[in-house]
Coordinates of all heavy atoms in Angstrom, one line a residue:
Q29 N 0.4 -15.2 13.7 CA 1.3 -14.3 12.9 C 1.5 -14.9 11.6 O 1.9 -16.1 11.4 CB 2.6 -14.3 13.7 CG 2.5 -13.6 15.1 CD 3.4 -12.4 15.2 OE1 4.1 -12.1 14.3 NE2 3.1 -11.6 16.3
L30 N 1.4 -14.1 10.6 CA 1.6 -14.5 9.2 C 2.8 -13.8 8.6 O 2.8 -13.4 7.5 CB 0.3 -14.0 8.4 CG -1.0 -14.6 8.9 CD1 -2.1 -13.9 8.2 CD2 -1.0 -16.1 8.7
T31 N 3.9 -13.9 9.3 CA 5.1 -13.2 8.9 C 5.7 -13.7 7.6 O 6.6 -13.0 7.0 CB 6.2 -13.2 10.0 OG1 6.4 -14.6 10.3 CG2 5.7 -12.5 11.2
S32 N 5.4 -15.0 7.2 CA 5.9 -15.6 5.9 C 4.9 -15.4 4.8 O 5.3 -15.7 3.6 CB 6.2 -17.1 6.1 OG 7.2 -17.2 7.1
L33 N 3.8 -14.7 5.0 CA 2.8 -14.5 3.9 C 3.5 -13.7 2.8 O 4.1 -12.7 3.0 CB 1.6 -13.8 4.5 CG 0.4 -13.7 3.6 CD1 -0.2 -15.0 3.4 CD2 -0.6 -12.8 4.3
R34 N 3.3 -14.1 1.5 CA 3.8 -13.4 0.4 C 2.8 -12.7 -0.4 O 3.2 -11.8 -1.2 CB 4.6 -14.5 -0.5 CG 5.8 -14.9 0.2 CD 6.6 -15.8 -0.7 NE 7.8 -16.3 0.0 CZ 9.0 -16.1 -0.6 NH1 9.1 -15.6 -1.8 NH2 10.1 -16.5 0.0
S35 N 1.6 -13.1 -0.4 CA 0.6 -12.4 -1.2 C -0.8 -12.4 -0.4 O -1.1 -13.4 0.2 CB 0.3 -13.3 -2.5 OG -0.7 -12.7 -3.3
L36 N -1.3 -11.3 -0.4 CA -2.6 -11.1 0.3 C -3.6 -10.3 -0.5 O -3.3 -9.2 -1.0 CB -2.4 -10.4 1.6 CG -3.6 -10.1 2.5 CD1 -4.3 -11.4 2.9 CD2 -3.3 -9.2 3.7
T37 N -4.8 -10.9 -0.8 CA -5.9 -10.2 -1.6 C -7.1 -10.3 -0.8 O -7.6 -11.3 -0.4 CB -6.1 -11.0 -3.0 OG1 -4.9 -11.0 -3.7 CG2 -7.2 -10.3 -3.7
L38 N -7.6 -9.1 -0.4 CA -8.8 -8.9 0.3 C -9.8 -8.0 -0.4 O -10.6 -7.4 0.2 CB -8.5 -8.3 1.7 CG -7.6 -9.2 2.6 CD1 -7.2 -8.5 3.9 CD2 -8.3 -10.5 3.0
A39 N -9.6 -8.0 -1.7 CA -10.4 -7.1 -2.6 C -11.9 -7.3 -2.4 O -12.4 -8.4 -2.1 CB -10.0 -7.3 -4.0
A40 N -12.6 -6.2 -2.5 CA -14.1 -6.2 -2.5 C -14.7 -6.7 -1.2 O -15.8 -7.3 -1.2 CB -14.7 -7.0 -3.7
N41 N -14.0 -6.5 -0.1 CA -14.5 -6.7 1.2 C -14.6 -5.4 2.0 O -13.6 -4.8 2.5 CB -13.6 -7.7 2.0 CG -13.7 -9.1 1.4 OD1 -14.7 -9.8 1.7 ND2 -12.7 -9.5 0.8
P42 N -15.8 -4.8 2.1 CA -15.9 -3.5 2.7 C -15.8 -3.6 4.2 O -16.9 -3.6 4.9 CB -17.3 -3.0 2.3 CG -18.1 -4.3 2.0 CD -17.1 -5.3 1.5
F43 N -14.6 -3.7 4.7 CA -14.3 -4.0 6.1 C -14.8 -2.8 7.0 O -15.0 -2.9 8.2 CB -12.8 -4.3 6.3 CG -12.4 -5.5 5.7 CD1 -11.4 -5.5 4.7 CD2 -13.0 -6.7 6.2 CE1 -11.0 -6.7 4.2 CE2 -12.5 -7.9 5.6 CZ -11.5 -7.9 4.6
Q44 N -14.7 -1.5 6.5 CA -15.0 -0.3 7.3 C -14.0 -0.2 8.5 O -14.4 0.0 9.6 CB -16.5 -0.4 7.9 CG -17.5 -0.5 6.8 CD -17.5 0.6 5.8 OE1 -17.2 1.8 6.1 NE2 -17.7 0.3 4.5
L45 N -12.8 -0.6 8.2 CA -11.7 -0.5 9.2 C -11.2 0.9 9.4 O -10.4 1.2 10.4 CB -10.5 -1.4 8.7 CG -10.7 -2.8 8.6 CD1 -9.6 -3.5 8.0 CD2 -11.0 -3.4 9.9
G46 N -11.5 1.9 8.6 CA -10.8 3.1 8.7 C -9.6 3.1 7.9 O -9.6 2.6 6.7
T47 N -8.4 3.4 8.4 CA -7.2 3.3 7.6 C -6.6 1.9 7.8 O -7.1 1.0 8.4 CB -6.2 4.4 8.2 OG1 -5.1 4.4 7.4 CG2 -5.8 4.0 9.7
L48 N -5.5 1.7 7.0 CA -4.8 0.4 7.0 C -4.4 0.0 8.4 O -3.7 0.8 9.1 CB -3.7 0.5 6.1 CG -2.9 -0.7 5.7 CD1 -3.8 -1.6 4.9 CD2 -1.7 -0.4 5.0
P49 N -4.8 -1.1 8.9 CA -4.4 -1.5 10.2 C -2.9 -1.6 10.5 O -2.1 -2.1 9.5 CB -5.1 -2.9 10.4 CG -6.2 -2.9 9.4 CD -5.6 -2.1 8.3
R50 N -2.4 -1.2 11.6 CA -1.0 -1.2 11.9 C -0.3 -2.6 11.8 O 0.8 -2.7 11.6 CB -0.8 -0.6 13.3 CG 0.7 -0.3 13.6 CD 0.9 0.8 14.5 NE 0.4 2.1 14.1 CZ 1.0 2.9 13.2 NH1 2.1 2.5 12.6 NH2 0.6 4.1 12.9
E51 N -1.1 -3.7 12.0 CA -0.7 -5.0 12.0 C 0.0 -5.4 10.6 O 0.8 -6.3 10.6 CB -1.7 -6.0 12.3 CG -2.2 -6.0 13.8 CD -3.1 -4.8 14.1 OE1 -3.6 -4.1 13.2 OE2 -3.4 -4.6 15.4
F52 N -0.4 -4.7 9.6 CA 0.1 -4.9 8.2 C 1.7 -4.7 8.2 O 2.3 -5.3 7.4 CB -0.5 -4.1 7.2 CG -1.8 -4.7 6.7 CD1 -3.0 -4.6 7.4 CD2 -1.9 -5.3 5.4 CE1 -4.2 -5.2 6.9 CE2 -3.0 -5.9 5.0 CZ -4.2 -5.8 5.7
Q53 N 2.2 -3.8 9.1 CA 3.7 -3.6 9.0 C 4.4 -4.8 9.4 O 5.6 -4.9 9.0 CB 4.0 -2.4 9.9 CG 4.0 -2.6 11.4 CD 4.2 -1.3 12.2 OE1 4.1 -0.3 11.6 NE2 4.5 -1.5 13.4
G54 N 3.9 -5.9 10.0 CA 4.6 -7.1 10.3 C 4.6 -8.1 9.2 O 5.3 -9.1 9.3
L55 N 4.0 -7.8 8.1 CA 3.9 -8.7 7.0 C 5.2 -8.4 6.1 O 4.9 -8.1 4.9 CB 2.6 -8.5 6.2 CG 1.3 -8.9 7.0 CD1 0.1 -8.6 6.2 CD2 1.4 -10.3 7.6
T56 N 6.4 -8.5 6.6 CA 7.5 -8.1 5.9 C 7.9 -8.9 4.7 O 8.7 -8.4 3.9 CB 8.7 -8.0 6.9 OG1 8.8 -9.3 7.4 CG2 8.5 -7.0 7.9
E57 N 7.4 -10.1 4.5 CA 7.7 -10.9 3.3 C 6.7 -10.8 2.2 O 6.8 -11.3 1.1 CB 7.7 -12.4 3.7 CG 8.9 -12.8 4.7 CD 10.3 -12.4 4.1 OE1 10.5 -12.8 2.9 OE2 11.1 -11.8 4.8
L58 N 5.7 -9.9 2.4 CA 4.6 -9.6 1.4 C 5.3 -9.2 0.1 O 6.1 -8.2 0.1 CB 3.7 -8.6 2.0 CG 2.2 -8.8 1.6 CD1 1.7 -10.1 2.2 CD2 1.4 -7.6 2.2
R59 N 4.9 -9.8 -1.0 CA 5.3 -9.3 -2.3 C 4.2 -8.6 -3.1 O 4.3 -7.8 -3.9 CB 5.6 -10.6 -3.2 CG 6.8 -11.5 -2.7 CD 8.0 -10.8 -2.4 NE 9.2 -11.7 -2.2 CZ 9.7 -12.2 -1.1 NH1 9.0 -11.8 0.0 NH2 10.7 -12.9 -1.1
A60 N 2.9 -9.1 -2.7 CA 1.7 -8.5 -3.4 C 0.6 -8.2 -2.4 O 0.3 -9.0 -1.6 CB 1.2 -9.5 -4.5
L61 N 0.1 -7.0 -2.5 CA -1.1 -6.7 -1.6 C -2.2 -6.0 -2.4 O -1.9 -5.0 -3.0 CB -0.6 -5.7 -0.4 CG -1.5 -5.2 0.6 CD1 -2.2 -6.4 1.3 CD2 -0.9 -4.2 1.5
A62 N -3.4 -6.6 -2.3 CA -4.5 -6.1 -3.0 C -5.6 -5.8 -2.0 O -6.1 -6.7 -1.5 CB -5.0 -7.0 -4.1
L63 N -5.9 -4.5 -1.8 CA -6.9 -4.1 -0.9 C -7.9 -3.2 -1.7 O -8.2 -2.0 -1.2 CB -6.3 -3.3 0.3 CG -5.4 -4.2 1.2 CD1 -4.7 -3.4 2.2 CD2 -6.1 -5.3 1.8
N64 N -8.4 -3.7 -2.7 CA -9.3 -2.9 -3.6 C -10.7 -2.9 -3.0 O -11.2 -4.0 -2.7 CB -9.3 -3.5 -5.0 CG -8.0 -3.6 -5.7 OD1 -7.1 -3.0 -5.2 ND2 -7.9 -4.4 -6.7
G65 N -11.3 -1.8 -3.0 CA -12.7 -1.7 -2.5 C -13.0 -2.2 -1.1 O -13.9 -2.8 -0.8
C66 N -12.0 -1.9 -0.2 CA -12.1 -2.4 1.2 C -12.6 -1.4 2.1 O -12.7 -1.6 3.4 CB -10.8 -2.9 1.6 SG -10.3 -4.5 0.8
G67 N -13.1 -0.2 1.6 CA -13.7 0.8 2.5 C -12.6 1.5 3.4 O -12.9 2.1 4.5
L68 N -11.3 1.5 3.0 CA -10.3 2.1 3.7 C -10.3 3.6 3.5 O -10.6 4.2 2.4 CB -8.9 1.6 3.3 CG -8.7 0.1 3.5 CD1 -7.4 -0.4 2.8 CD2 -8.7 -0.2 5.0
T69 N -10.0 4.4 4.6 CA -10.2 5.9 4.6 C -8.9 6.5 5.1 O -8.0 5.8 5.6 CB -11.4 6.3 5.4 OG1 -11.1 5.9 6.7 CG2 -12.7 5.6 4.9
G70 N -8.9 7.8 5.1 CA -7.8 8.6 5.6 C -6.7 8.7 4.6 O -6.9 8.7 3.4
T71 N -5.5 9.0 5.1 CA -4.3 9.0 4.2 C -3.7 7.7 4.1 O -3.8 6.8 4.9 CB -3.3 10.0 4.8 OG1 -2.9 9.6 6.1 CG2 -3.9 11.4 4.8
I72 N -3.0 7.5 3.0 CA -2.2 6.2 2.8 C -1.1 6.2 3.8 O -0.2 7.1 3.8 CB -1.7 6.1 1.3 CG1 -2.8 6.0 0.4 CG2 -0.8 4.8 1.2 CD1 -2.4 6.1 -1.0
P73 N -1.1 5.3 4.7 CA -0.1 5.3 5.8 C 1.3 4.8 5.5 O 1.7 3.7 5.5 CB -0.7 4.3 6.8 CG -1.5 3.3 6.0 CD -2.0 4.1 4.8
G74 N 2.1 5.8 5.1 CA 3.5 5.4 4.7 C 4.3 4.9 5.8 O 5.2 4.0 5.6
D75 N 4.0 5.2 7.1 CA 4.8 4.6 8.2 C 4.5 3.2 8.3 O 5.3 2.4 8.9 CB 4.4 5.4 9.5 CG 2.9 5.2 9.8 OD1 2.0 5.2 9.0 OD2 2.6 5.3 11.1
I76 N 3.4 2.6 7.8 CA 3.2 1.2 7.8 C 3.8 0.6 6.6 O 4.5 -0.5 6.6 CB 1.7 0.9 7.9 CG1 1.1 1.3 9.2 CG2 1.3 -0.6 7.6 CD1 -0.4 1.3 9.3
L77 N 3.5 1.2 5.4 CA 4.1 0.6 4.1 C 5.5 0.5 4.1 O 6.1 -0.3 3.4 CB 3.5 1.4 3.0 CG 2.0 1.3 2.8 CD1 1.6 2.3 1.6 CD2 1.5 0.0 2.5
R78 N 6.3 1.4 4.8 CA 7.7 1.5 4.6 C 8.3 0.2 5.2 O 9.5 -0.1 4.9 CB 8.3 2.7 5.4 CG 8.3 2.4 6.9 CD 8.8 3.6 7.7 NE 10.0 4.2 7.2 CZ 10.3 5.5 7.3 NH1 9.5 6.3 8.1 NH2 11.3 6.0 6.8
H79 N 7.6 -0.6 6.0 CA 8.1 -1.8 6.6 C 8.0 -3.0 5.5 O 8.5 -4.1 5.7 CB 7.4 -2.2 7.9 CG 7.6 -1.3 9.0 ND1 8.7 -1.3 9.7 CD2 6.9 -0.2 9.4 CE1 8.7 -0.4 10.6 NE2 7.6 0.4 10.4
L80 N 7.2 -2.8 4.5 CA 7.0 -3.9 3.5 C 8.0 -3.8 2.4 O 7.7 -3.6 1.2 CB 5.6 -3.7 2.9 CG 4.4 -3.6 4.0 CD1 3.0 -3.6 3.3 CD2 4.5 -4.9 4.9
T81 N 9.2 -4.0 2.8 CA 10.4 -3.8 1.9 C 10.4 -4.8 0.7 O 11.2 -4.5 -0.3 CB 11.7 -3.8 2.7 OG1 11.8 -5.0 3.4 CG2 11.7 -2.7 3.7
N82 N 9.8 -5.9 0.8 CA 9.7 -6.9 -0.3 C 8.6 -6.7 -1.3 O 8.4 -7.4 -2.3 CB 9.7 -8.3 0.2 CG 11.1 -8.6 0.9 OD1 12.1 -8.5 0.3 ND2 11.0 -9.0 2.2
L83 N 7.8 -5.7 -1.0 CA 6.5 -5.5 -1.8 C 6.9 -5.1 -3.2 O 7.8 -4.3 -3.5 CB 5.7 -4.3 -1.1 CG 4.2 -4.3 -1.5 CD1 3.6 -5.6 -1.0 CD2 3.6 -3.1 -0.8
R84 N 6.2 -5.8 -4.1 CA 6.4 -5.6 -5.5 C 5.1 -5.0 -6.2 O 5.3 -4.2 -7.2 CB 6.9 -6.9 -6.2 CG 8.2 -7.4 -5.7 CD 8.5 -8.7 -6.3 NE 9.4 -8.3 -7.4 CZ 9.9 -9.3 -8.2 NH1 9.8 -10.5 -8.0 NH2 10.7 -9.0 -9.2
F85 N 4.0 -5.4 -5.7 CA 2.7 -5.0 -6.4 C 1.8 -4.5 -5.3 O 1.6 -5.2 -4.2 CB 2.1 -6.2 -7.1 CG 3.0 -6.8 -8.0 CD1 3.7 -8.0 -7.7 CD2 3.1 -6.4 -9.3 CE1 4.5 -8.6 -8.7 CE2 3.9 -6.9 -10.3 CZ 4.7 -8.1 -9.9
L86 N 1.2 -3.4 -5.4 CA 0.4 -2.8 -4.5 C -0.9 -2.2 -5.2 O -0.7 -1.3 -6.0 CB 1.1 -1.7 -3.7 CG 0.3 -0.8 -2.6 CD1 -0.3 -1.9 -1.6 CD2 1.1 0.3 -2.0
W87 N -2.1 -2.7 -4.8 CA -3.4 -2.3 -5.3 C -4.1 -1.7 -4.2 O -4.5 -2.5 -3.2 CB -4.1 -3.4 -5.9 CG -3.6 -3.9 -7.2 CD1 -3.8 -3.5 -8.4 CD2 -2.7 -5.1 -7.3 NE1 -3.1 -4.3 -9.3 CE2 -2.4 -5.3 -8.7 CE3 -2.1 -5.9 -6.4 CZ2 -1.6 -6.3 -9.2 CZ3 -1.2 -6.9 -6.9 CH2 -1.1 -7.1 -8.2
L88 N -4.4 -0.4 -4.2 CA -5.3 0.2 -3.2 C -6.4 1.0 -3.8 O -6.8 2.0 -3.5 CB -4.5 1.2 -2.2 CG -3.3 0.6 -1.4 CD1 -2.6 1.6 -0.6 CD2 -4.0 -0.5 -0.4
V89 N -7.0 0.3 -4.8 CA -8.0 0.9 -5.8 C -9.3 1.0 -5.1 O -9.7 0.1 -4.3 CB -8.0 0.0 -7.0 CG1 -9.0 0.5 -8.0 CG2 -6.6 0.0 -7.7
Y90 N -10.1 2.0 -5.4 CA -11.5 2.2 -5.0 C -11.6 2.1 -3.5 O -12.5 1.3 -3.0 CB -12.4 1.3 -5.8 CG -12.4 1.6 -7.3 CD1 -11.9 0.6 -8.1 CD2 -12.8 2.8 -7.8 CE1 -11.7 0.9 -9.5 CE2 -12.8 3.0 -9.2 CZ -12.3 2.1 -10.0 OH -12.1 2.4 -11.3
N91 N -10.8 2.8 -2.7 CA -11.1 3.0 -1.3 C -11.5 4.4 -1.2 O -12.0 5.1 -2.2 CB -9.9 2.7 -0.5 CG -9.7 1.1 -0.5 OD1 -10.4 0.5 0.3 ND2 -8.7 0.6 -1.2
D92 N -11.3 5.1 -0.1 CA -11.6 6.5 0.1 C -10.4 7.2 0.7 O -10.5 8.0 1.6 CB -12.8 6.6 1.1 CG -13.4 8.0 0.9 OD1 -13.3 8.6 -0.1 OD2 -14.2 8.4 1.9
F93 N -9.2 6.8 0.2 CA -7.9 7.5 0.7 C -7.9 9.0 0.1 O -8.5 9.3 -0.9 CB -6.7 6.8 0.2 CG -6.4 5.5 0.9 CD1 -6.4 4.3 0.2 CD2 -6.1 5.5 2.3 CE1 -6.2 3.1 0.9 CE2 -5.8 4.4 2.9 CZ -5.9 3.1 2.3
E94 N -7.4 9.8 0.9 CA -7.2 11.2 0.5 C -5.8 11.7 0.8 O -5.0 11.0 1.5 CB -8.3 12.1 1.2 CG -8.2 12.0 2.8 CD -9.4 12.7 3.5 OE1 -10.3 13.1 2.9 OE2 -9.3 12.8 4.7
G95 N -5.6 12.9 0.3 CA -4.3 13.6 0.6 C -3.3 13.2 -0.5 O -3.7 13.0 -1.7
T96 N -2.0 13.2 -0.2 CA -1.0 12.9 -1.2 C -0.3 11.6 -1.0 O -0.6 10.9 0.0 CB 0.1 13.9 -1.1 OG1 0.7 14.0 0.2 CG2 -0.4 15.4 -1.4
L97 N 0.5 11.1 -1.9 CA 1.2 9.9 -1.8 C 2.3 10.0 -0.8 O 2.9 11.1 -0.7 CB 1.8 9.5 -3.1 CG 0.8 9.1 -4.3 CD1 1.7 8.8 -5.5 CD2 0.0 7.9 -3.8
P98 N 2.4 9.1 0.2 CA 3.4 9.3 1.2 C 4.8 9.1 0.6 O 5.1 8.3 -0.3 CB 3.1 8.1 2.2 CG 2.3 7.2 1.4 CD 1.6 7.9 0.3
S99 N 5.7 9.9 1.1 CA 7.1 9.8 0.6 C 7.8 8.6 1.0 O 8.7 8.2 0.2 CB 7.9 11.0 1.4 OG 7.9 10.8 2.7
E100 N 7.3 7.8 1.9 CA 7.9 6.5 2.2 C 7.7 5.5 1.1 O 8.5 4.5 1.0 CB 7.2 5.9 3.5 CG 7.6 6.7 4.8 CD 6.6 7.8 5.0 OE1 5.8 8.2 4.1 OE2 6.6 8.3 6.2
L101 N 6.8 5.7 0.2 CA 6.7 4.8 -0.9 C 7.9 4.8 -1.8 O 8.3 3.7 -2.4 CB 5.5 5.2 -1.8 CG 4.1 4.8 -1.3 CD1 3.1 5.3 -2.2 CD2 4.0 3.3 -1.2
A102 N 8.7 5.8 -1.8 CA 9.9 5.9 -2.6 C 11.0 5.0 -2.0 O 11.9 4.6 -2.7 CB 10.4 7.3 -2.7
E103 N 10.8 4.6 -0.8 CA 11.8 3.7 -0.1 C 11.6 2.3 -0.5 O 12.5 1.5 -0.2 CB 11.7 3.9 1.4 CG 12.0 5.3 2.0 CD 11.7 5.4 3.4 OE1 11.7 4.4 4.1 OE2 11.5 6.5 3.9
L104 N 10.5 2.0 -1.1 CA 10.2 0.5 -1.5 C 10.9 0.3 -2.8 O 10.3 0.3 -3.9 CB 8.7 0.3 -1.5 CG 8.0 0.6 -0.3 CD1 6.5 0.3 -0.4 CD2 8.5 -0.3 0.8
S105 N 12.1 -0.2 -2.8 CA 12.9 -0.3 -4.0 C 12.5 -1.4 -4.9 O 12.9 -1.5 -6.1 CB 14.4 -0.4 -3.7 OG 14.7 -1.5 -2.8
N106 N 11.7 -2.4 -4.4 CA 11.3 -3.6 -5.1 C 9.9 -3.4 -5.8 O 9.6 -4.2 -6.6 CB 11.2 -4.7 -4.3 CG 12.5 -5.2 -3.8 OD1 13.4 -5.3 -4.5 ND2 12.6 -5.6 -2.5
I107 N 9.3 -2.2 -5.7 CA 8.0 -1.9 -6.3 C 8.1 -2.0 -7.7 O 9.0 -1.3 -8.4 CB 7.4 -0.5 -5.8 CG1 6.9 -0.7 -4.4 CG2 6.4 0.0 -6.7 CD1 5.6 -1.5 -4.3
E108 N 7.2 -2.7 -8.4 CA 7.1 -2.8 -9.8 C 5.7 -2.2 -10.3 O 5.6 -1.7 -11.4 CB 7.1 -4.2 -10.4 CG 8.5 -4.9 -10.1 CD 8.6 -6.3 -10.5 OE1 7.8 -6.6 -11.4 OE2 9.4 -7.0 -10.0
F109 N 4.7 -2.2 -9.4 CA 3.3 -1.8 -9.9 C 2.6 -1.2 -8.7 O 2.6 -1.8 -7.6 CB 2.6 -3.1 -10.3 CG 1.3 -2.7 -10.8 CD1 1.0 -2.3 -12.1 CD2 0.2 -2.8 -10.0 CE1 -0.2 -2.0 -12.6 CE2 -1.1 -2.5 -10.5 CZ -1.3 -2.1 -11.8
L110 N 2.1 0.0 -8.9 CA 1.4 0.7 -7.9 C 0.0 1.1 -8.6 O 0.0 1.6 -9.8 CB 2.0 2.0 -7.4 CG 3.3 1.9 -6.7 CD1 3.9 3.3 -6.5 CD2 3.0 1.3 -5.3
D111 N -1.1 0.9 -7.9 CA -2.4 1.4 -8.5 C -3.3 2.0 -7.4 O -3.5 1.3 -6.3 CB -3.2 0.2 -9.1 CG -4.3 0.7 -10.0 OD1 -4.7 1.9 -9.9 OD2 -4.8 -0.1 -10.7
F112 N -3.5 3.3 -7.4 CA -4.3 4.0 -6.4 C -5.6 4.6 -7.0 O -6.2 5.5 -6.5 CB -3.5 5.1 -5.8 CG -2.2 4.7 -5.2 CD1 -1.0 5.0 -5.8 CD2 -2.2 3.9 -4.0 CE1 0.2 4.6 -5.2 CE2 -1.1 3.5 -3.4 CZ 0.1 3.8 -4.0
A113 N -6.0 4.1 -8.2 CA -7.2 4.6 -8.9 C -8.4 4.6 -8.0 O -8.6 3.8 -7.2 CB -7.5 3.9 -10.2
G114 N -9.3 5.6 -8.2 CA -10.6 5.6 -7.5 C -10.5 6.1 -6.1 O -11.4 5.7 -5.3
N115 N -9.5 6.8 -5.7 CA -9.4 7.4 -4.4 C -9.5 8.9 -4.6 O -9.7 9.4 -5.7 CB -8.1 7.0 -3.8 CG -8.1 5.6 -3.2 OD1 -8.6 5.2 -2.3 ND2 -7.4 4.7 -4.1
R116 N -9.3 9.6 -3.5 CA -9.4 11.2 -3.5 C -7.9 11.7 -3.3 O -7.8 12.6 -2.4 CB -10.4 11.6 -2.5 CG -11.8 11.2 -2.9 CD -12.9 11.8 -2.0 NE -12.7 11.3 -0.6 CZ -12.7 12.1 0.5 NH1 -12.9 13.4 0.4 NH2 -12.5 11.6 1.7
L117 N -7.0 11.3 -4.1 CA -5.6 11.7 -3.9 C -5.5 13.0 -4.7 O -6.2 13.2 -5.6 CB -4.7 10.7 -4.3 CG -4.8 9.4 -3.6 CD1 -3.8 8.3 -4.2 CD2 -4.4 9.5 -2.1
E118 N -4.5 13.8 -4.2 CA -4.2 15.1 -4.9 C -2.8 15.4 -4.9 O -2.0 14.7 -4.3 CB -5.0 16.2 -4.2 CG -4.6 16.4 -2.8 CD -5.4 17.4 -2.0 OE1 -6.2 18.1 -2.6 OE2 -5.3 17.5 -0.8
G119 N -2.4 16.4 -5.7 CA -1.0 16.7 -5.8 C -0.3 16.1 -6.9 O -0.9 15.5 -7.8
I120 N 1.0 16.3 -7.0 CA 1.8 15.7 -8.1 C 2.6 14.6 -7.6 O 2.9 14.4 -6.4 CB 2.7 16.8 -8.7 CG1 3.7 17.3 -7.7 CG2 2.0 17.9 -9.3 CD1 4.8 18.1 -8.2
V121 N 2.9 13.6 -8.4 CA 3.8 12.5 -8.1 C 5.2 12.9 -8.1 O 5.7 13.4 -9.2 CB 3.5 11.3 -9.1 CG1 4.4 10.2 -8.7 CG2 2.0 11.0 -9.1
P122 N 5.9 12.9 -7.0 CA 7.3 13.3 -6.9 C 8.2 12.5 -7.8 O 8.0 11.3 -8.0 CB 7.7 13.1 -5.5 CG 6.4 13.0 -4.7 CD 5.4 12.4 -5.7
E123 N 9.2 13.1 -8.4 CA 10.1 12.5 -9.3 C 10.8 11.3 -8.7 O 11.2 10.4 -9.3 CB 11.1 13.4 -9.9 CG 10.6 14.4 -10.8 CD 11.7 15.4 -11.4 OE1 12.8 14.9 -11.6 OE2 11.4 16.5 -11.6
V124 N 11.0 11.3 -7.3 CA 11.7 10.3 -6.7 C 11.0 8.8 -6.9 O 11.7 7.9 -6.9 CB 11.8 10.5 -5.2 CG1 10.5 10.5 -4.5 CG2 12.8 9.6 -4.5
Y125 N 9.7 8.8 -7.2 CA 9.1 7.6 -7.5 C 9.6 6.9 -8.9 O 9.3 5.8 -9.0 CB 7.6 7.8 -7.6 CG 7.0 8.1 -6.3 CD1 6.3 9.3 -6.1 CD2 7.1 7.3 -5.2 CE1 5.7 9.6 -4.9 CE2 6.4 7.5 -4.1 CZ 5.8 8.7 -3.9 OH 5.1 9.0 -2.6
F126 N 10.2 7.7 -9.7 CA 10.6 7.3 -11.0 C 12.1 6.9 -11.0 O 12.6 6.6 -12.0 CB 10.3 8.3 -12.1 CG 8.8 8.6 -12.1 CD1 8.3 9.8 -11.6 CD2 7.9 7.7 -12.6 CE1 7.0 10.1 -11.6 CE2 6.5 8.0 -12.6 CZ 6.0 9.2 -12.1
E127 N 12.8 7.0 -9.9 CA 14.2 6.8 -9.9 C 14.6 5.3 -9.8 O 15.8 5.0 -9.9 CB 14.8 7.6 -8.8 CG 14.7 9.1 -9.0 CD 15.3 9.9 -7.9 OE1 15.7 9.3 -6.8 OE2 15.2 11.2 -7.9
H128 N 13.7 4.4 -9.5 CA 14.2 3.0 -9.3 C 14.1 2.2 -10.6 O 13.3 2.3 -11.4 CB 13.3 2.3 -8.3 CG 13.4 2.9 -6.9 ND1 14.6 2.7 -6.2 CD2 12.6 3.6 -6.2 CE1 14.4 3.3 -5.0 NE2 13.3 3.9 -5.0

């Protein structure tokens, strides 16, 4: 268990895991998460990210995520930086993301 982990970078590792593993929701002390180019697919799992309440920086660049940004991201009040470039996301960014 890595419950005290504050930063995790697994960039450029094509894990072919599918979506973000549910085990990430236990990393509640995480401040920075970089999963660039990790071969992640599906939608961005808001039900997992909502548990990362200390998260400040999130990079999910160059994966194969699709759909819209999950509404749960707006619950992460400590977020300072988000980057989802290079995915297949669509729709508009809700105003609630700019309220913090």
